[in-house]
Amino acid sequence: MAALLFVAACSGPSPQQPPEISANEADTDGAFPATAATGRLNAEIARDPALIDDEDWALVRRGFVARDDDLDIRDADGRSIWRPADYAFLDGEDAPDTVHPSLWRQARLNAEYGLYEVVPGIYQVRGYDLANMSIVEGETGRIVIDPLTSVETAQAALALVERELGPRPVSAVILTHSHIDHFGGVEAIEGALGEGPVPVIAPAGFLEEAVSENVMAGVVMARRAGYMYGTHLPRTARGHVGSGLGKHPALGRHTIAEPDIIIDHTGQMLEIDGVRMEFQYAPDTEAPAELTVFFPDFQAWCGAELVSRNLHNLYTLRGAQVRDALAWSAGIEEARRVFGARAEVAFNSHHWPVWGAGDVDDFLVAQRDIYKYIHDQTLRLAARGLGPDEIAETIVLPDALAGRFAVRGYYGTLRHNSRAVYQRYFGWYDGVPANLDPLPRGEAAQRYVDLLGGAEAVIAAAETAFAGGDYRWSAELAQHAVYAVPGNEAAAAILARSYEQLGYRAESAPWRDVYLSAARELRHGIPQTDAVRASEGILDAIPLDMFFAAMATRIDGLRAARQNRVFNFVFTDVGETHVIELSNGVMHHHRGEARPDADATVELTRTFWMRLLQQEAGLLDMLASQEFAIRGDRRALLGFFALLEQPDPDFPIVTGRPDAR
């Protein structure tokens, strides 16, 4: 899912309409209609009889209890962060020619929202965030599973539950895995707690995994997540229609809770508030830390995000470590073997449930097989000498899988998941010597453009390819021109239109959002980011070691190589001492005893350190604060801080590469 400590762009420059847009073709955001070629392709897809199958419509509405018809969830500043009315344009049954008809169907299904009964005693709030909140009724209270992404959406979901089912205290919280859309709203539960301690249940490694990758790589992930989730796109038939997995992440206030009960093996059992639970520990599947849970008294299995009604990501486009397709497939088979024969319903962290023992088993078999098929066939094709690009172009699903909506590429895709399998086994190098040390993209683009006769010739070739409906090739040519001649309006215009048509043809919602976000940036520029800061609850949960590890990635190595320094950081309020050493342009860090030979020793509080990291305090605040004291060489310490680069959350992606030096 989306990055934890992400910097989300919430506002940007006023749109500027470039010269290539004419009022009779482009909408107010500058987006063009589908071309005739795209329209014909999508119309042909729409004729598939399966797309008008009503079965899922009956299932997605099954058990409906109530909803807030005018739902508009806002943050403390009054900014709307969740409003189903934004997707009112999805009401039409027939897909417009600017949306892949299969994706249109999925987007409409995901637009259903409200409180639903899964079975008597188990409920879900769906469509109040990207993920679902599930509720299990106990003897005296409720067990809450996955309290959504933000405090605001979780509060609204709980209010709906209490209004329709009556007020009851929360007797336990289950956090199924380490992605923020499944724990970020946990603080909202405090308002519904009963007397006495309420256990928080989570898989082993939850806390570390929930924060680790985002501290180290959060800025880059955030920038890319803006593309993947269409953060800046309008909610229209020419813009964002959904994320495949749901609608969009709620960018409100995010919190976290430290688990009280750790699930670390399959077969672990608990009984809380009269509710019996049997757990599966499923690490390194969809998330590094994940669990599923079976409720024997309800004959109901909560599959978390181990399974969902789409093909998921083995590699997520925001950037993350590649997931293990074999482990994922094996985790699904373990759940099927342990719980499948007893489950009359499977309800998950996204989408709508599966009812009936036979249908549950059929669903699990397809989910199990899709990941292993991609794994096995990728390696088979690699053994024939195909590289990742050729494999992505060659691999095809058998009809038995390709015809199932529950494993369609609405989120992950066969193409990029096969590349992920290749990457996991063989890395970035595809074995072709020319790709061992290639020219940087910008330099290669310049040379290609020169070789082909200059920017005008390349743009003309891109326009010819576009006119012939060959949008992948027109995008490839035009991207070279944009990189070679940044600011060339004609190059940007044909590239934007090429990406736009590719977006209109994409069945995967993230692919659509990536293409359309690129087109929008080419027309309007890069939106300037407003930082959405993590709440104090999340910051307090991050070990100081992680902050220092992330700090090392921001050291200017060449400048740092001229310094060999040692510094002690003593955090007086938490009783921790951390030692930093600069050596050969590398920052090393360890927690332990202060070094007597340190150039300087800093005494400070963790609270003040957080203010520094979030740029709420600067150099003058540091020197004047009573929460910050220095013993030793102040100039050496200031020289160290001067080595730290501030990351750019708005770095260019399609509009031209920055100088790497």
Side-chain angles (χ1 to χ4, degrees):
M1 247 306 300
L4 174 58
L5 296 180
F6 54 91
V7 182
C10 302
S11 64
S14 299
Q16 304 255 333
Q17 184 165 289
E20 62 112 357
I21 295 175
S22 59
N24 64 335
E25 284 191 288
D27 63 18
T28 56
D29 196 55
F32 274 75
T35 62
T38 295
R40 285 193 298 270
L41 178 65
N42 283 341
E44 182 179 347
I45 294 168
R47 287 193 283 271
D48 182 354
L51 292 176
I52 58 174
D53 184 357
D54 289 332
E55 180 181 0
D56 276 336
W57 282 104
L59 295 177
V60 78
R61 292 166 175 163
R62 178 171 170 171
F64 175 75
V65 177
R67 71 183 186 189
D68 297 300
D69 289 328
D70 299 319
L71 184 65
D72 185 0
I73 303 173
R74 296 179 177 267
D75 64 13
D77 297 324
R79 181 173 58 95
S80 182
I81 61 172
W82 193 266
R83 186 171 55 192
D86 290 341
Y87 295 98
F89 68 92
L90 292 166
D91 285 349
E93 183 175 332
D94 295 332
D97 57 5
T98 55
V99 185
H100 189 290
S102 180
L103 177 60
W104 181 258
R105 175 185 181 276
Q106 181 81 347
R108 292 183 68 231
L109 287 164
N110 281 335
E112 295 288 318
Y113 72 99
L115 176 65
Y116 298 81
E117 182 184 68
V118 178
V119 295
I122 297 181
Y123 298 85
Q124 285 189 309
V125 180
R126 302 201 293 269
Y128 273 53
D129 205 318
L130 182 68
N132 302 331
M133 178 190 290
S134 300
I135 305 291
V136 181
E137 298 283 0
E139 291 179 352
T140 63
R142 295 186 171 110
I143 296 171
V144 174
I145 305 172
D146 288 353
L148 306 183
T149 311
S150 73
V151 173
E152 295 88 343
T153 53
Q155 286 172 334
L158 284 171
L160 176 65
V161 169
E162 293 201 342
R163 187 186 78 199
E164 297 300 324
L165 305 181
R168 300 184 83 193
V170 171
S171 49
V173 179
I174 300 175
L175 308 177
T176 62
H177 60 292
S178 52
H179 293 154
I180 196 171
D181 51 326
H182 305 275
F183 67 79
V186 68
E187 186 181 286
I189 305 300
E190 290 185 3
L193 296 180
E195 296 182 2
V198 173
V200 175
I201 304 162
F206 166 80
L207 201 59
E208 180 180 5
E209 296 295 346
V211 300
S212 59
E213 70 175 14
N214 305 285
V215 174
M216 295 291 285
V219 171
V220 178
M221 286 186 180
R223 176 75 171 107
R224 291 172 52 154
Y227 268 52
M228 177 177 172
Y229 292 107
T231 303
H232 305 289
L233 294 175
R235 275 56 171 144
T236 69
R238 297 188 191 179
H240 174 82
V241 300
S243 296
L245 205 61
K247 303 317 294 177
H248 64 271
L251 300 180
R253 189 164 64 87
H254 312 304
T255 55
I256 198 168
E258 185 172 355
D260 303 294
I261 299 175
I262 298 296
I263 303 303
D264 60 9
H265 65 275
T266 296
Q268 197 167 338
M269 297 187 182
L270 291 174
E271 182 171 337
I272 296 175
D273 196 15
V275 176
R276 295 189 299 148
M277 294 172 276
E278 301 176 20
F279 290 90
Q280 176 194 19
Y281 178 49
D284 301 319
T285 52
E286 186 272 337
E290 188 143 2
L291 62 77
T292 76
V293 54
F294 180 68
F295 298 91
D297 297 326
F298 298 91
Q299 296 179 289
W301 176 63
C302 174
E305 208 164 329
L306 190 67
V307 290
S308 53
R309 286 185 177 270
N310 53 220
L311 174 60
H312 213 297
N313 287 311
L314 295 176
Y315 168 76
T316 180
L317 302 185
R318 66 177 169 86
Q321 295 182 21
V322 168
R323 295 161 183 168
D324 186 339
L326 274 186
W328 198 334
S329 178
I332 297 170
E333 174 58 18
E334 179 183 62
R336 177 174 174 263
R337 177 170 44 81
V338 175
F339 307 126
R342 296 180 287 158
E344 290 293 331
V345 63
F347 65 101
N348 307 310
S349 295
H350 293 276
H351 305 126
W352 53 101
V354 180
W355 285 273
D359 286 344
V360 169
D361 186 69
D362 191 52
F363 174 73
L364 291 177
V365 166
Q367 293 277 319
R368 175 199 67 186
D369 290 349
I370 190 75
Y371 300 110
K372 194 167 190 302
Y373 183 90
I374 296 172
H375 171 275
D376 293 351
Q377 297 308 305
T378 297
L379 291 184
R380 179 182 69 85
L381 293 169
R384 287 171 46 186
L386 276 67
D389 294 344
E390 292 88 0
I391 292 171
E393 201 74 17
T394 303
I395 190 170
V396 177
L397 290 177
D399 291 343
L401 291 173
R404 292 176 179 267
F405 285 117
V407 292
R408 291 282 279 262
Y410 299 124
Y411 197 51
T413 72
L414 182 61
R415 285 175 175 262
H416 81 249
N417 278 345
S418 65
R419 287 184 171 96
V421 173
Y422 189 99
Q423 178 184 331
R424 185 173 182 88
Y425 282 92
F426 308 115
W428 58 267
Y429 176 48
D430 62 2
V432 178
N435 295 329
L436 183 60
D437 190 24
L439 291 171
R441 183 77 185 253
E443 184 178 346
Q446 183 65 65
R447 294 195 185 192
Y448 277 120
V449 168
D450 291 344
L451 181 66
L452 294 170
E456 289 186 5
V458 174
I459 293 166
E463 289 173 341
T464 299
F466 182 91
D470 192 357
Y471 305 124
R472 291 170 71 188
W473 181 232
S474 64
E476 177 78 15
L477 290 168
Q479 188 68 75
H480 279 315
V482 167
Y483 280 165
V485 193
N488 185 302
E489 292 186 359
I494 189 60
L495 181 57
R497 296 199 70 174
S498 300
Y499 281 147
E500 193 167 59
Q501 297 305 314
L502 290 171
Y504 294 163
R505 293 170 168 221
E507 186 175 34
S508 164
W511 279 40
R512 175 186 174 89
D513 283 345
V514 164
Y515 284 131
L516 298 186
S517 295
R520 192 174 196 279
E521 283 193 9
L522 287 159
R523 289 170 176 149
H524 305 317
I526 301 172
Q528 298 304 298
T529 296
D530 285 343
V532 177
R533 302 193 184 278
S535 73
E536 291 182 4
I538 287 183
L539 289 174
D540 288 344
I542 299 173
L544 286 167
D545 304 74
M546 288 188 184
F547 287 118
F548 283 110
M551 182 185 291
T553 69
R554 298 185 182 175
I555 292 286
D556 183 330
L558 293 179
R559 289 172 55 211
R562 297 192 289 268
Q563 301 184 30
N564 289 310
R565 300 290 190 184
V566 176
F567 302 102
N568 299 320
F569 284 79
V570 181
F571 292 89
T572 56
D573 55 342
V574 294
E576 294 183 19
T577 297
H578 295 259
V579 180
I580 286 175
E581 180 180 359
L582 280 180
S583 170
N584 296 316
V586 178
M587 176 185 145
H588 299 277
H589 155 263
H590 71 272
R591 177 178 171 183
E593 297 295 324
R595 285 266 296 269
D597 60 337
D599 292 277
T601 295
V602 180
E603 293 184 352
L604 72 166
T605 64
R606 180 187 167 108
T607 302
F608 189 76
W609 180 244
M610 294 298 103
R611 292 183 59 208
L612 286 173
L613 292 177
Q614 295 196 97
Q615 296 183 292
E616 293 176 0
L619 181 60
L620 293 178
D621 299 299
M622 181 176 74
L623 296 176
S625 175
Q626 294 184 354
E627 297 180 83
F628 193 99
I630 305 171
R631 297 196 312 272
D633 190 340
R634 288 178 172 242
R635 291 183 63 184
L637 182 66
L638 294 177
F640 164 70
F641 281 124
L643 297 172
L644 295 169
E645 288 189 353
Q646 185 62 32
D648 179 7
D650 305 317
F651 59 81
I653 294 177
V654 293
T655 55
R657 296 290 184 182
D659 186 349
R661 299 190 175 216

